[in-house]
Amino acid sequence: MSKPPAPARPVLVLNKVERHYVQGERKLTILNGADFTINRGEMVALVAPSGAGKSTLLHTAGLLEKPDAGEVTLNGRVCGNLPDDERTSIRRNEIGFVYQFHHLLPEFSALENIMLPQLVQGLAKKEAANRARQLLDYMHIGKRAGHRPAELSGGEQQRVAIARAVANAPRLLLADEPTGNLDPQTAGYVFDALAALVKQSGLAALIATHNHELAARMDRKVTLDQGHIVPA
């Protein structure tokens, strides 16, 4: 008799999250009782029109902004309204961020850019370098380790940015249009590398994208509708 499948392991849970902004005398509601769960090893596409609140959702999920109401739970810990220093520590240890522009430090090589977050965490230089080389090889750009960002193509830069985002083995990866600046073929290469990394490492990944072809290749799609997170 076969064993039942193991229960899903939630990495991120949003429970009735609200986020508001005040513009003059007007209160603008972006998230309105938003509920969302993402599990280990799952890739979820966030597709919504510009101005719908994708960045606010990512910033709230990533503890860059505090919810006005509701709870943000990461790995079983309610942390949306923790003090700033604790939130910063959680971001550094458990959350990786990838943006549309790579934000690599121009004066450092690809290898050094991936080493830096590990050194900040106190890892020995040799260990950080070994981990960085492994990630570059995994992203199929190991031969470019000594090159600075300006010497890399757009796709190579973004693969280095992804490697840097996961250098400290986070549980959650949040990406905001990670292939938005790339041509379709290069975007496909970058997405393939990212998808393989998510599945191999057991990351949970929430990826905002306007690329519907890539969104269709993820485990599921969600969108924002009047402040609620709903299936797309």
Side-chain angles (χ1 to χ4, degrees):
M1 185 175 176
S2 62
K3 293 182 179 179
R9 296 170 57 185
V11 173
L12 172 71
V13 179
L14 305 184
N15 183 27
K16 298 185 179 357
V17 168
E18 296 185 11
R19 193 73 181 95
H20 312 286
Y21 299 101
V22 177
Q23 296 180 341
E25 296 182 355
R26 184 184 174 202
K27 181 180 178 181
L28 185 63
T29 297
I30 305 298
L31 300 178
N32 185 21
D35 293 315
F36 177 70
T37 298
I38 183 170
N39 296 314
R40 187 177 184 273
E42 188 178 25
M43 288 185 78
V44 178
L46 173 59
V47 291
S50 297
K54 295 192 300 295
S55 293
T56 296
L57 173 56
L58 291 173
H59 289 171
T60 305
L63 308 184
L64 290 166
E65 298 182 18
K66 290 185 178 183
D68 295 302
E71 295 177 348
V72 178
T73 302
L74 186 65
N75 296 314
R77 182 183 184 187
V78 178
C79 48
N81 285 295
L82 289 173
D84 289 344
D85 59 339
E86 291 187 51
R87 289 154 55 83
T88 298
S89 177
I90 292 170
R91 284 198 303 271
R92 188 184 298 128
N93 292 312
E94 300 190 41
I95 305 174
F97 295 91
V98 182
Y99 298 98
Q100 184 170 350
F101 185 71
H102 57 79
H103 294 298
L104 298 172
L105 297 175
E107 66 271 29
F108 294 103
S109 69
L111 184 78
E112 291 166 338
N113 266 280
I114 301 169
M115 288 174 63
L116 283 171
Q118 301 177 76
L119 296 174
V120 169
Q121 285 300 89
L123 202 65
K125 188 173 181 180
K126 183 178 180 180
E127 291 181 73
N130 287 339
R131 165 93 171 145
R133 288 191 186 93
Q134 289 172 358
L135 286 167
L136 285 170
D137 287 341
Y138 194 87
M139 302 299 285
H140 303 293
I141 49 172
K143 294 180 179 180
R144 310 291 276 168
H147 291 71
R148 294 184 178 181
E151 301 170 314
L152 303 174
S153 70
E156 289 170 338
Q157 291 169 346
Q158 202 64 331
R159 277 183 273 182
V160 174
I162 291 168
R164 181 184 59 183
V166 301
N168 284 334
R171 304 289 186 87
L172 175 66
L173 181 69
L174 300 172
D176 194 355
E177 297 289 348
T179 62
N181 284 332
L182 307 176
D183 65 80
Q185 185 176 33
T186 303
Y189 291 148
V190 171
F191 177 83
D192 288 342
L194 175 58
L197 186 64
V198 168
K199 297 304 179 185
Q200 186 272 337
S201 64
L203 272 167
L206 177 60
I207 301 172
T209 181
H210 282 109
N211 187 322
H212 290 281
E213 288 185 13
L214 295 185
R217 295 170 58 188
M218 300 191 211
D219 296 307
R220 57 188 170 102
K221 297 184 289 183
V222 297
T223 190
L224 285 160
D225 182 14
Q226 297 182 358
H228 299 284
I229 303 170
V230 297

